[in-house]
Amino acid sequence: MMNSSRPDARRNAGPYLYGREASAVAQVLESGQYGHTGVTEEFERRIAAFLGVDDAVAVTSGTAALHTALLVAGVGPGDEVIVPSMTFCATVQAILAVGATPRFIEINPVTLCVDHQLVLEAVTADTAAVIPVLFGGRAVNLGPIHCELEERGIAVIEDAAHAFGSYDGTRHVGATGATLTCFSFGPIKNLTCGQGGVVIPRTSEQADMIRRLRLLGVTQSQTERATTTTYQVDSFGLRYQLSAINAAIGLAQLDHFDSTVETRRRLWCIYRDALGPLEGVTLVDVGPQTAVPHLCQVRVHPRDQVFQEMRSQGIGVGVHYPPNHLQPAFAPWRRALPVTEKAGQEVLSLPFHQHLTEDDIAHVVAVLGRAIETVRAERHIGRLA
Ligand SMILES: *Cc1c(COP(=O)(O)O)cnc(C)c1O
């Protein structure tokens, strides 16, 4: 009975619409122009202005952003890319898409992010790029070792899919000097376009390359194309431009981003306070003073049983993520990563989205507490039997 009364606690994540998204989409539909239009360009300008950077280039997804960034950084066959195993599989697939190989590394067990030492230890003669993942929204960066890496010809490509809006001190993620930063605006991210992504370039040459790449290597504008009998393909390219339909959703979301920041921080802190007295769980701190939290994760043992118990009570728990080095598709690059494997067995993502109320969170935490007790009692009985 308690389950059905809390439908929002059943969902692990999801978009939060502020009300103008649908009419913004309707306007684009009525215009008859759905592709890359002025709406997409306005979205890019607004993202750049928000982040405090010169430029932002919109693409179809976070995965496309990572793929494009790797291409622009010149990463290809024979190259190695340093990446934490603890990330969404999209990060790794983007590396394979350019024909490079992932070199999986460990994470800091507290932040679930890479740190400087781990990255430097993994560098080889073949390393062409590092992809730090800003896990859960945490505003980590490789600032102090950027220069050293770039001097060695290694690009720093941030996977900031979780971290739109997060701060590093006084600068937004995306403005902290990485070679390139990639955001995702997928359905469950802090800001959504429905589906979409952005690459933050650091130079205008990078920006031009991304703009060519995302339009199938065709550099002519729509107006130029309308006046000639042909079109010119100048370089390799893909169909990666963000549609005006998706950009319109993103623009409507951006109008209310202050509210998103406030809500996500507030909900995360409510969780933190409610989880405080609970024994046997450790909250993964994302640093809510500077981060816009994307996940609310705890570590708990035995996670799988607690997960099942909470699911059976109607709570939308999830796991971010099963480690990539253990995935069948990435087996050729498997290596022993004990810290990541332990985290992979313990992390549990509690429902975290902007429809949650304080009561929902109290309910989730109460169910978590009971689940831990139930699971531990069963294990105890199992041991006695
Ligand atoms: C969501 C996500 C991506 C991919 O973004 P899409 O927009 O879904 O393609 C990449 N990395 C991480 C860490 C993500 O969470």
Side-chain angles (χ1 to χ4, degrees):
M1 1 99 248
M2 218 172 345
N3 304 347
S4 53
S5 64
R6 300 223 165 265
D8 288 323
R10 291 182 163 272
R11 272 198 300 158
N12 184 253
Y16 185 87
L17 299 182
Y18 286 95
R20 288 292 178 79
E21 289 85 353
S23 57
V25 168
Q27 222 176 333
V28 173
L29 293 180
E30 282 155 23
S31 78
Q33 295 189 304
Y34 304 164
H36 175 95
T37 71
V39 180
T40 312
E41 283 163 15
E42 191 191 340
F43 180 62
E44 294 181 332
R45 280 193 299 274
R46 289 275 305 282
I47 292 284
F50 173 81
L51 296 176
V53 294
D54 291 337
D55 204 354
V57 188
V59 292
T60 45
S61 69
T63 311
L66 288 163
H67 184 197
T68 308
L70 285 161
L71 287 168
V72 167
V75 181
D79 289 332
E80 246 175 36
V81 179
I82 295 174
V83 64
S85 172
M86 181 54 76
T87 181
F88 187 43
C89 61
T91 323
V92 186
Q93 296 289 24
I95 296 168
L96 299 192
V98 297
T101 56
R103 183 176 170 84
F104 292 119
I105 62 165
E106 287 280 31
I107 40 170
N108 176 311
V110 176
T111 62
L112 305 185
C113 292
V114 300
D115 63 30
H116 304 161
Q117 200 51 37
L118 292 166
V119 170
L120 292 178
E121 282 166 10
V123 172
T124 70
D126 294 328
T127 306
V130 183
I131 309 187
V133 177
L134 284 70
F135 207 95
R138 180 176 265 277
V140 290
N141 71 59
L142 298 180
I145 60 169
H146 270 172
C147 287
E148 181 178 344
L149 291 170
E150 287 195 336
E151 272 164 25
R152 294 165 80 171
I154 301 169
V156 177
I157 299 173
E158 289 179 314
D159 181 342
H162 293 182
F164 184 74
S166 292
Y167 269 97
D168 160 50
T170 54
R171 297 169 303 179
H172 268 125
V173 167
T176 62
T179 315
L180 293 145
T181 302
C182 301
F183 292 106
S184 163
F185 301 128
I188 62 161
K189 297 300 172 18
N190 291 354
L191 182 118
T192 188
C193 289
Q195 207 63 259
V198 149
V199 185
I200 306 300
R202 204 159 62 177
T203 67
S204 56
E205 290 76 29
Q206 289 172 337
D208 291 344
M209 264 183 89
I210 303 167
R211 292 202 157 92
R212 257 201 316 278
L213 249 166
R214 70 168 176 191
L215 281 172
L216 293 164
V218 177
T219 43
Q220 282 154 312
S221 70
Q222 294 286 344
T223 24
E224 282 166 342
R225 279 174 61 179
T227 59
T228 61
T229 54
T230 184
Y231 61 84
Q232 190 168 307
V233 184
D234 294 307
S235 57
F236 170 74
L238 293 157
R239 173 63 91 204
Y240 271 177
Q241 85 275 24
L242 185 72
S243 83
I245 299 169
N246 295 106
I249 299 172
L251 276 168
Q253 289 260 298
L254 204 51
D255 283 338
H256 295 276
F257 196 71
D258 283 353
S259 173
T260 300
V261 173
E262 194 277 322
T263 305
R264 298 189 81 92
R265 282 193 180 142
R266 184 171 47 78
L267 294 176
W268 195 92
C269 291
I270 292 171
Y271 261 123
R272 181 190 55 196
D273 296 345
L275 288 163
L278 216 61
E279 263 181 58
V281 291
T282 312
L283 177 68
V284 178
D285 189 2
V286 296
Q289 313 79 358
T290 53
V292 182
H294 174 62
L295 299 171
C296 182
Q297 278 182 308
V298 293
R299 291 180 71 145
V300 64
H301 182 78
R303 192 270 321 276
D304 289 2
Q305 286 94 321
V306 172
F307 175 97
Q308 292 303 345
E309 181 64 24
M310 290 185 80
R311 277 273 166 181
S312 74
Q313 300 291 317
I315 305 295
V317 280
V319 172
H320 299 88
Y321 297 93
N324 282 287
H325 70 289
L326 304 177
Q327 293 288 359
F330 309 140
W333 306 288
R334 186 170 296 176
R335 47 212 297 273
L337 297 172
V339 175
T340 301
E341 283 159 32
K342 187 160 189 290
Q345 286 164 4
E346 293 181 352
V347 287
L348 181 73
S349 299
L350 303 175
F352 193 67
H353 52 79
Q354 289 165 242
H355 292 280
L356 291 172
T357 62
E358 199 164 342
D359 287 348
D360 289 327
I361 292 175
H363 175 65
V364 171
V365 173
V367 174
L368 172 62
R370 286 201 301 273
I372 292 170
E373 278 173 29
T374 306
V375 167
R376 294 200 168 162
E378 278 167 7
R379 276 162 70 92
H380 187 64
I381 291 164
R383 239 179 265 130
L384 295 180

